[in-house]
Amino acid sequence: MKVTFLLFLSCLFLFACQTKPQKKQIHYSYALIIHGGAGSMDTVNLKETDQIAYKAALDTALQKGISTLASGKSSLDAVCQVIEYLENNPMFNAGRGAVFTHEGKNELDASIMSGLDLSAGAVAGVRDVKNPILLARKIMDNSKHVMLSGKGASEFARENGLEMADSSWFFTEKSYNNLIKAIDNEKLSGLTTPPLPDYKYGTVGCVALDQGGNLAAGTSTGGMTNKQYGRIGDSPIIGAGTYANNKTCGVSATGHGEFFIRYTVAHDISALMEYKGMGVEEAANEVINNKLTPVDGSGGVVCLDKNGNYAMVFNTSGMFRAYGNSEGQKIIRIFK
Amino acid sequence: MKVTFLLFLSCLFLFACQTKPQKKQIHYSYALIIHGGAGSMDTVNLKETDQIAYKAALDTALQKGISTLASGKSSLDAVCQVIEYLENNPMFNAGRGAVFTHEGKNELDASIMSGLDLSAGAVAGVRDVKNPILLARKIMDNSKHVMLSGKGASEFARENGLEMADSSWFFTEKSYNNLIKAIDNEKLSGLTTPPLPDYKYGTVGCVALDQGGNLAAGTSTGGMTNKQYGRIGDSPIIGAGTYANNKTCGVSATGHGEFFIRYTVAHDISALMEYKGMGVEEAANEVINNKLTPVDGSGGVVCLDKNGNYAMVFNTSGMFRAYGNSEGQKIIRIFK
């Protein structure tokens, strides 16, 4: 009898090992999440009037994306519409508000990916395309390539009828002053591109789930203030700054791009979900807080899983972010 | 008694589910693997004299790498030495033998990664650096960045004392004739960049494991013949064409780069090992044969796991490849 009981206990134990507790999952018919960059933000370096202005911009972007999804359009359309709006808004480091390179130019990077078939488009280092996210989409839809760069990418944009813009469109006093500050700082410290104490990674990004169950993710940025040597960050790198896969999740990242490339952040979150069965929040936490934080890789991600559940994870003091879904839930936040 | 027996059987069954059969793993104190590109190769389009010449070049490269590792130097040093040799050899589409862009230029891409700390360096679209792999290494060692591109990358190379080369160094009649053929083919078919029937992805790559247990991987390429618009393939993309992580494996890829970017091939192999416990051969097979083949993504990978065991997996008819280890084992092959 004792043996029977022990065997019964063993069975129970092994059975318990097999079945992980399942987190309750809600399925939303559509959902959308946005970031407008992460960084060291607090109530001192981000005044209340600025906070209100950023929240209003995020709200407008969110409403645009949510109505697009509500009308039955695709997640790719929603991502493009949201990012186009953020690129045209000079408050963010993407498109119009892009930061300046060391040479006083604006070099723009963007990428987009469809979770349906893993098709993707990316652009690095264009100077004269008004909306890099629309160029990334055009590369995905109209070319055999995934990633185009520099003058060649501009040529492709012109051939495909995209709106071009000259350098005056991208000029903002705030970005130019930040370049002057960064160069002064560099001279004082003798280091190239030292981090500014109030550094904000003002990249923008969006992930959407549409009514057809398709995920899409996109990211757009002006890169780092005072960047040199044709530096490419994580935003146009599929698997680093952007990833989408209907099996798992969509991810858009913002932060110190070099770390996001080395840790293949966006794909790693998806891989943890696909291969280890993690939920989206657990997977994003694992990569941002357990892998990047220990090596001082700062930044964050916004993610949606295939059911429209979100994760907004960052190891900086703030990240401009917003989330909405088909149930009318709405979140707009800046600080932790 | 019947119940006891049933419980005992259940226990046995559950226990069997828990323990996967373990593949016998050998630990080599050092090992190195090389590819010189994959593609549609057969005894018709690759004459016996060419086969002998390619095998001799792979053998020389392998010997260089193996002696470097035998002398106790790092896997990063071995990878650089092997790829530098292959770049200087005009038989391969990297460095000196690079293919031509649509405009008749050579635009070179390369990347390198250390499995020890996931540090990495990459370069895209340089035209005047003799050995792009050495530039990728310099970016990893001497800059705060991971990826530099175009003229900016050349400027960084000059400032860091790398050997520059003018366009005559990269000119080979074979590559130039291939461009003419590709342009003629394009005119006939009315398509841009249609695949040539005997297309070879002549990228080069190397993965090494050193006596300190550190993996490193590197890849270098001239990209696709007749490429346009500043196209960037998978070779300089960390996680796509190159990846190394001491926890799992090192990978270098060659093939239709767009698919390797979209499927994050190199990192996916590592993720399958880390998160699903696959061996290196099983993981490489899963990605190349079960993910890429069904979508017509052609190419292959060479990989080493942390013990120096190899995988050489490709879905084309051939891949120039070589492997050696501390036990004196040596493999040099072209066809399946």
Side-chain angles (χ1 to χ4, degrees):
Chain A
M1 195 58 199
K2 237 184 193 170
V3 176
T4 316
F5 186 67
L6 273 174
L7 278 169
F8 178 69
L9 272 184
S10 311
C11 282
L12 263 183
F13 176 74
L14 285 172
F15 185 69
C17 290
Q18 292 271 330
T19 55
K20 275 189 189 172
Q22 292 297 309
K23 204 176 152 185
K24 200 183 154 194
Q25 287 287 312
I26 297 168
H27 178 83
Y28 301 102
S29 74
Y30 56 87
L32 187 129
I33 193 161
I34 298 170
H35 71 76
S40 55
M41 303 164 190
D42 55 42
T43 46
V44 178
N45 68 22
L46 199 69
K47 284 175 292 184
E48 207 179 331
T49 47
D50 290 339
Q51 292 173 38
I52 292 167
Y54 273 108
K55 283 186 173 177
L58 289 168
D59 197 7
T60 306
L62 187 66
Q63 281 176 39
K64 278 177 185 288
I66 287 290
S67 345
T68 301
L69 295 170
S71 75
K73 286 192 182 155
S74 75
S75 51
L76 284 166
D77 287 344
V79 165
C80 284
Q81 204 180 9
V82 165
I83 295 184
E84 186 184 1
Y85 167 78
L86 296 169
E87 283 177 342
N88 290 344
N89 186 327
M91 295 169 75
F92 299 96
N93 172 21
R96 196 170 187 188
V99 299
F100 283 88
T101 67
H102 187 72
E103 291 79 20
K105 309 274 181 193
N106 307 103
E107 285 179 359
L108 312 166
D109 302 336
S111 66
I112 192 162
M113 186 164 189
S114 162
L116 174 64
D117 58 1
L118 308 185
S119 59
V123 56
V126 280
R127 291 182 173 178
D128 51 5
V129 175
K130 191 181 167 210
N131 291 108
I133 193 68
L134 301 184
L135 175 53
R137 174 82 186 268
K138 200 62 101 175
I139 292 166
M140 179 174 88
D141 291 343
N142 290 13
S143 88
K144 293 194 166 198
H145 300 309
V146 167
M147 191 171 186
L148 303 181
S149 65
K151 286 184 182 165
S154 295
E155 192 189 329
F156 178 85
R158 265 187 295 271
E159 284 178 20
N160 283 272
L162 283 172
E163 194 173 346
M164 308 302 285
D166 66 21
S167 57
S168 67
W169 169 259
F170 300 106
F171 183 89
T172 60
E173 212 168 295
K174 188 182 78 174
S175 292
Y176 196 74
N177 289 342
N178 278 338
L179 172 65
I180 303 301
K181 260 200 274 180
I183 291 178
D184 286 349
N185 201 16
E186 186 178 293
K187 280 180 193 153
L188 281 173
S189 70
L191 292 167
T192 52
T193 59
L196 294 170
D198 60 344
Y199 199 82
K200 282 187 279 294
Y201 304 106
T203 300
V204 305
C206 178
V207 184
L209 172 74
D210 63 29
Q211 295 184 42
N214 293 316
L215 284 163
T219 311
S220 179
T221 190
M224 284 180 142
T225 291
N226 198 24
K227 70 181 174 184
Q228 277 181 288
Y229 308 123
R231 177 253 186 191
I232 297 175
D234 64 314
S235 300
I237 307 290
I238 297 302
T242 303
Y243 190 75
N245 189 331
N246 279 1
K247 277 195 217 166
T248 52
C249 64
V251 181
S252 172
T254 167
H256 193 154
E258 278 67 16
F259 288 91
F260 283 70
I261 295 175
R262 291 170 47 207
Y263 285 78
T264 332
V265 166
H267 181 261
D268 202 25
I269 292 171
S270 169
L272 284 166
M273 293 178 70
E274 187 174 359
Y275 304 141
K276 290 203 91 172
M278 284 188 185
V280 68
E281 176 88 29
E282 189 185 1
N285 254 317
E286 173 66 21
V287 177
I288 300 297
N289 292 322
N290 296 341
K291 294 191 179 191
L292 289 190
T293 304
V295 293
D296 288 329
S298 63
V301 287
V302 294
C303 320
L304 287 184
D305 71 11
K306 61 184 176 178
N307 295 312
N309 299 288
Y310 72 88
M312 304 164 156
V313 182
F314 52 100
N315 59 16
T316 50
S317 55
M319 179 167 77
F320 298 116
R321 60 202 191 277
Y323 168 77
N325 61 33
S326 52
E327 299 298 300
Q329 195 185 349
K330 189 161 107 173
I331 299 168
I332 299 175
R333 287 187 195 138
I334 298 176
F335 306 117
K336 278 239 156 152
Chain B
M1 196 58 200
K2 238 183 192 171
V3 176
T4 317
F5 185 67
L6 274 174
L7 278 170
F8 179 69
L9 273 184
S10 311
C11 283
L12 262 184
F13 175 74
L14 286 171
F15 186 70
C17 290
Q18 292 272 333
T19 55
K20 276 188 187 172
Q22 291 298 310
K23 206 176 150 187
K24 200 184 154 194
Q25 287 287 315
I26 297 167
H27 178 84
Y28 301 102
S29 73
Y30 56 88
L32 187 129
I33 194 162
I34 298 170
H35 71 77
S40 56
M41 303 163 190
D42 55 41
T43 47
V44 178
N45 69 22
L46 199 70
K47 285 176 291 184
E48 208 179 330
T49 46
D50 289 339
Q51 292 172 39
I52 292 166
Y54 274 108
K55 283 186 173 176
L58 289 168
D59 197 9
T60 306
L62 187 67
Q63 281 176 41
K64 279 178 185 287
I66 286 290
S67 345
T68 301
L69 295 170
S71 76
K73 286 191 181 155
S74 75
S75 51
L76 284 166
D77 287 343
V79 165
C80 284
Q81 205 179 11
V82 166
I83 296 185
E84 184 183 3
Y85 167 78
L86 296 169
E87 284 177 341
N88 290 344
N89 186 327
M91 296 169 74
F92 300 95
N93 172 21
R96 196 171 186 188
V99 298
F100 283 88
T101 66
H102 187 73
E103 291 79 21
K105 309 277 182 192
N106 308 101
E107 286 179 358
L108 312 167
D109 301 335
S111 65
I112 192 163
M113 186 163 187
S114 162
L116 174 64
D117 58 1
L118 309 186
S119 59
V123 56
V126 280
R127 291 182 172 177
D128 50 5
V129 175
K130 192 181 166 208
N131 292 105
I133 193 69
L134 301 185
L135 174 53
R137 174 82 186 269
K138 201 62 100 176
I139 292 166
M140 179 173 89
D141 291 343
N142 290 14
S143 88
K144 293 193 166 198
H145 300 308
V146 167
M147 191 171 187
L148 303 181
S149 66
K151 286 182 183 167
S154 294
E155 191 190 331
F156 178 85
R158 266 188 295 271
E159 283 179 18
N160 282 272
L162 283 172
E163 194 172 345
M164 308 302 283
D166 66 23
S167 57
S168 67
W169 169 258
F170 300 107
F171 182 89
T172 61
E173 212 168 295
K174 188 181 78 174
S175 292
Y176 196 75
N177 290 341
N178 279 337
L179 172 64
I180 303 299
K181 260 200 276 180
I183 290 178
D184 286 349
N185 201 15
E186 187 177 292
K187 281 180 191 153
L188 281 173
S189 70
L191 291 167
T192 50
T193 58
L196 294 171
D198 61 343
Y199 200 81
K200 283 187 280 294
Y201 304 106
T203 300
V204 305
C206 178
V207 184
L209 172 74
D210 63 29
Q211 295 184 42
N214 293 317
L215 284 163
T219 311
S220 179
T221 192
M224 285 180 140
T225 291
N226 197 25
K227 70 181 174 184
Q228 278 180 285
Y229 307 123
R231 177 253 187 193
I232 297 175
D234 64 313
S235 301
I237 307 290
I238 297 303
T242 302
Y243 190 74
N245 188 333
N246 279 2
K247 276 196 216 166
T248 53
C249 64
V251 182
S252 172
T254 167
H256 193 155
E258 278 69 13
F259 288 91
F260 283 69
I261 294 176
R262 290 169 46 207
Y263 284 79
T264 332
V265 166
H267 180 260
D268 202 24
I269 293 171
S270 169
L272 283 165
M273 293 177 70
E274 187 173 0
Y275 304 141
K276 289 203 89 172
M278 285 189 184
V280 69
E281 177 88 29
E282 190 186 2
N285 255 316
E286 173 65 21
V287 177
I288 299 299
N289 293 321
N290 297 341
K291 295 191 180 191
L292 289 189
T293 305
V295 293
D296 289 329
S298 63
V301 287
V302 294
C303 321
L304 287 185
D305 71 11
K306 60 183 177 179
N307 295 312
N309 300 288
Y310 72 87
M312 304 166 156
V313 181
F314 51 101
N315 59 16
T316 50
S317 54
M319 178 167 78
F320 298 117
R321 59 202 191 277
Y323 167 77
N325 60 34
S326 51
E327 299 298 300
Q329 195 185 349
K330 188 161 108 173
I331 299 169
I332 299 175
R333 286 185 197 141
I334 299 176
F335 308 117
K336 279 237 154 152

